[in-house]
Amino acid sequence: MKTIGVDVGGTFTDLVYCNLETGELAIHKVATTPDDPSRGVMQGVGEICAQNGVDPSEIAHVFHGTTTATNAALEGKGAVAGMITNDGFRDIIHIGRHQRPQHYSIQQDIPWQARPLVKRRFRKTVGGRLAPPSGQELEPLDEAGVRQAAEELKAEGVEAVAICFLFSYLNPAHELRAKEIVEEVMPDAFVTTSALVSPQFREFERFTTASLAAFVGPKVKKYIADLGDALTTLGVKGELRIMASNGGASTPAMVSEKPALTLLSGLAAGVLGGGWIGAQCGRDRLITFDIGGTSADIGIVVDGQVAEADARSTEIAGFPLLQPMLDIHTIGAGGGSIAHVDRGGAFRVGPQSAGAVPGPACYGHGGTEPTVTDANLVLGRLEPEDFLGGAMALDAEAAERAVAGFAETMGLSLHEAAEGILTIVNANMANAIRSRTVQKGIDPRGFALVAMGGAGPLSGAEVAKMLSIPEVLVPPYPGITSAMGLLTTDLKYDAIRTQFQVSTGFDADRLGRDLDAMFEDLTERFDADDVPAESRAFQRLGDLRYVGQGYELRVPLGDGPVDEAMLAQFWADFHAAHAREYGHAFTDSPIELVNIRLVGTASLPKLERLSAPEGGSLEAALVRRKPSVFRTDAGLETFDTPVYRRVKLPVGTPFDGPAILLQTDSTTVVPPGAEAEIHTSGSILIRLKDISGETE
């Protein structure tokens, strides 16, 4: 079976072709086409098929990580969106909650107020009200008011509508009827409801999630349709699967219906790819560290399981989300990050980026500002004639001019400025990792860092040293690890319902009925996708908290009938989870079940392993020796550094840094004081000699 994984990044579109029966694997990169990412995807798919003598009709699956929704949210370039909500609740998505991004700042930027997804004039209110605890109707829906609101939105040029009513997570009837009316009036608009997107309590987050779905919906729906048509034109007859934020694949129909599923599409694939690489090396406690041209993405894998985000930390572009998604933290730090002096005179790197066009100065596309890639070239850590395997030459003189101009502004030498750029961007990334580990009670010294992305292997070892992480893994194809991650996933759907039950006086029958209904919903979805029953698996979970707490912890709920024994284990597991997370538990306190979740997965053909590296010798791998600059305890030092061709390095033979390892999709830097070797799985293991990794 032949498959292709395609991941669209800010600078490059990465592709991996794999014959799952023979293990044959090939990689390819093309420039991302920001105006229409599907053009780059089509170019890449056509080229990788041609390069490997494969007819497009032979491709059984195309797995795709898309940034369409992500970029629309981050750049604020979505559809003109409208909202219909209850009378008196027009400003829910503006007011938010008492928690602000920065509690004590009076000049902070509050995204939902500064950059509203739905402008106030496009928020319409209508009569009608449901009430807890069962969603009973207090006031019937004003259908004439809904129709009038839709006609007004249509006249105002609105392209997408989010219908958001109070307590619709208990009873979606009013939202569904309003959706029917709006679709009659606005047949060309994208229409969604908050209960469809996220049937959970917390109206601000639910309404915002629905608004995000409306904001990105038309663009995502058009992109998926165009991509499907283009694949058909190319001759691809296989199935298209889109990576979702929850770490599973979805069908085009599901993504078109629920576009918010893809808000972290490409990022999720990277974490999965990093976890898969760690498993190949026998490591199950990992920090995935994916650096591209514009951003660095960080994920955590504990005991082989990728951490999932909770309701407190799930967001995109500063907007809160109520969507199942992997716990991924992104900062504006990548190869294209620009060094600059801020208004206070401080030396900064990022989040501004040179992007794909014009890109770093050394790309020769008109860029003049100093970037991280330019700094690496100035310090001798990149080969100007061997970038992307020789497919692209770097302009060393342009890089020097850009960094030299900045150095003059800062009163530094050329090498001091270049090294300062790398130190600052690496410190930014180390701090981001601390926020996901140390600040959550996780000691990073017990983990391995998986350095991936086009720029990850350049910085991985130095970032690990800042965090006292003893080992760095560099995947066989670090620049396309996200694309490889696409080939390791399964089809995955989530069903969620809010329960609000307390352990004292718990209605087990109600829980059982809701679980059965959710099972039927997912079964219908799998049936619609023609998924064989034998390939399906289900997991039940609950969001629990002590009565009076504001947020929940997610705890597995066992299989089988809901009885006293199962519930007793459920409560005990929550006490244990609370003790792990917070260091204590209140075993005598009543527990509240807030949400129940059913996760359905269906196995897809996937990449099992890579071919063992052939290896060679250090002598055969040596390309040349060159001067490169590193900071040591004595200050900046120039080293006579060997440059190796990675594919020719011996397997299992350690060698000392400094060293530069070349391959098509990335360059790996082994700094002084580190030791590297090629693992039998093909990954590079970099060990930092002066770091033990032991924890107290």
Side-chain angles (χ1 to χ4, degrees), residues 591-625:
I591 300 169
E592 184 176 29
L593 171 62
V594 177
N595 299 312
I596 53 173
R597 299 172 181 268
L598 184 65
V599 181
T601 57
S603 59
L604 293 171
K606 57 176 65 67
L607 180 66
E608 297 293 341
R609 64 180 60 85
L610 298 176
S611 301
E614 295 182 5
S617 66
L618 290 175
E619 293 76 16
L622 184 65
V623 176
R624 69 185 183 100
R625 305 184 75 90

Side-chain angles (χ1 to χ4, degrees), residues 266-277 286 288 290 297-301 306-307 326-329 452 481-482 485:
L267 309 188
V271 178
L272 292 176
W276 185 83
I277 289 297
L286 306 160
T288 64
D290 187 353
D297 307 317
I298 297 154
I300 308 295
V301 180
V306 180
L326 302 184
D327 189 5
I328 304 170
H329 184 54
M452 54 195 189
T481 304
S482 289

